[in-house]
Amino acid sequence: MPPAPYKSLQNTRFKHFKGTCPCEVLHPGQSCNGFMLNFFPDAYLRAIPVYLPVYVFPALLVHRKRLLDPKLAPDIGRRVVQGALRSSLFLSLYCTLAWRGACVGFQWSNGASGALLALTCWTGGLATLAEKKSRRMELAHYCLARAIESFALCLSSWGYVRGDSLPRRTDVIIFSAATAAIMHCYSDSHGRHRDVFKSKYLNVLDFVFGNTGLEVGSIKHVPSTSDLINRLQDAGIRVPSRHTMSNHTASFLGSLENLQALGEQDGNTPRSDMSDSPFAPSHDST
C-alpha cells in the first residue's frame, strides 16, 4: 500500500508528497551531507545579527564607564565580538546538527514520526559544547521552559487534558514567576539577598532601577536610595533633598563617613558586615 500524504504538509506546496523519506521535502535534489554543508554557513550568517545585540547592549550597560577608557575599551570590544561569534556558532551548529539527526532517523526508518524525531534530534544539544560553561545553564533554563510548554501541548493533543484548561502563554507565566524571584532577591529585606547575583547582573539591575552603588562604608550591597536617606535622617544627619542631591554628592558622602565614625566610636564593628551596618533592617521590627 503506497504511503499517504503527510498531514503536516497540508496547505503547503508539498501537500501531494507521498514519499517514504521526508528528506526529499527538506532538501530536494541534495544529499543529506551536501545539504548540511550548505546550510551551516548560511545559518551562521543569520545567527550573527541575532546575537550581536545580545552582547553589545549589556556591554554598554555593564561597562559603560570602562568603554570610555582607551586602555580598557579594546579588550571589552574584543570580548563582545568573540562572544557574539561563539554564540552564533552555537546556534548555527544547533540547527545543523538537529537537521542532520532528523535525516539520519528518516533514512534509518524510511519514514517519519514524532517519536523518531524525539530520538534523533537530540544531536542538536551537542552544540552547547561550543558555548562557554557559564552560558550552558542559561540555555538549559530556556530549553526547559520551552520543553514544559511543548509537553503541555502534547498532553492536549493526546487527549489527556482539555485544551481550554491550559494557559495560552505558558512562557509568560514562567517569565513572570522568574521576574518575581529576581525582584524578591534584589529588593526584599532591604537588599540583604543581593549576594545571590553575580556582580555583572547586579550592576545591570542597579543601573535599571537607579541604584548606582555605594563604596563608602564598605557596604557590599546597599539598600535603595530612599532607604539610605531615611536611615541617615533617623541618625540625625542632614541629607540634601532629591532635587539638590546631584549638587551635593560630596557632602552626602561626607555624611556617610561621619556616620561610620560615629559607629566606630560606639564600639561597633567595621561596616564590612552587613548585619552590623546602620542600614541593615532592625531585628525587632514587625
Side-chain angles (χ1 to χ4, degrees):
M1 183 177 179
Y6 290 92
K7 294 181 179 179
S8 59
L9 298 180
Q10 297 300 317
N11 301 322
T12 70
R13 62 191 180 95
F14 300 105
K15 61 182 180 180
H16 299 299
F17 174 74
K18 296 183 179 181
T20 58
C21 183
C23 291
E24 300 173 24
V25 175
L26 178 60
H27 48 82
Q30 285 183 302
S31 65
C32 295
N33 290 331
F35 167 74
M36 181 179 66
L37 294 176
N38 291 330
F39 176 84
F40 175 75
D42 292 338
Y44 189 79
L45 294 177
R46 290 194 299 268
I48 291 177
V50 174
Y51 272 107
L52 197 58
V54 173
Y55 283 87
V56 170
F57 291 137
L60 294 176
L61 292 177
V62 177
H63 305 295
R64 54 192 179 277
K65 294 182 180 179
R66 295 182 180 180
L67 288 173
L68 300 178
D69 190 332
K71 297 181 180 180
L72 300 177
D75 181 63
I76 297 175
R78 177 187 60 81
R79 286 186 292 169
V80 167
V81 174
Q82 183 181 14
L85 294 178
R86 181 177 51 243
S87 294
S88 299
L89 176 62
F90 152 74
L91 184 57
S92 55
L93 278 177
Y94 179 86
C95 298
T96 302
L97 293 175
W99 283 125
R100 191 63 183 94
C103 286
V104 170
F106 296 154
Q107 294 174 347
W108 174 70
S109 65
N110 200 28
S113 66
L116 179 66
L117 292 175
L119 290 174
T120 57
C121 288
W122 61 268
T123 53
L126 296 175
T128 56
L129 298 177
E131 267 288 11
K132 292 177 60 176
K133 290 184 178 180
S134 59
R135 284 186 55 84
R136 293 174 189 173
M137 185 58 67
E138 299 174 6
L139 293 171
H141 288 160
Y142 175 82
C143 292
L144 176 62
R146 290 291 176 264
I148 294 175
E149 184 176 13
S150 298
F151 183 68
L153 295 176
C154 288
L155 291 178
S156 175
S157 177
W158 296 334
Y160 290 105
V161 296
R162 294 173 49 189
D164 55 1
S165 64
L166 297 174
R168 293 290 182 182
R169 295 297 302 273
T170 309
D171 56 333
V172 174
I173 296 177
I174 296 176
F175 176 80
S176 301
T179 303
I182 291 174
M183 295 309 301
H184 164 72
C185 295
Y186 179 76
S187 61
D188 287 358
S189 301
H190 301 276
R192 291 177 64 90
H193 305 299
R194 296 188 189 186
D195 56 347
V196 302
F197 296 107
K198 292 182 179 179
S199 58
K200 58 182 180 180
Y201 297 143
L202 186 60
N203 193 354
V204 173
L205 290 172
D206 285 343
F207 177 81
V208 171
F209 294 107
N211 188 356
T212 58
L214 179 69
E215 297 188 12
V216 175
S218 299
I219 301 172
K220 184 176 181 182
H221 300 304
V222 299
S224 63
T225 304
S226 59
D227 188 68
L228 280 172
I229 294 175
N230 292 334
R231 291 184 180 276
L232 287 171
Q233 291 175 341
D234 293 341
I237 297 176
R238 184 174 176 272
V239 180
S241 64
R242 292 186 179 181
H243 299 288
T244 60
M245 183 67 73
S246 59
N247 298 326
H248 295 81
T249 303
S251 60
F252 177 62
L253 295 178
S255 300
L256 291 177
E257 292 177 347
N258 295 333
L259 181 61
Q260 182 180 15
L262 290 174
E264 292 175 351
Q265 291 177 2
D266 293 337
N268 292 339
T269 57
R271 296 296 187 266
S272 59
D273 186 354
M274 185 68 178
S275 61
D276 296 331
S277 169
F279 306 114
S282 58
H283 298 286
D284 57 352
S285 60
T286 57

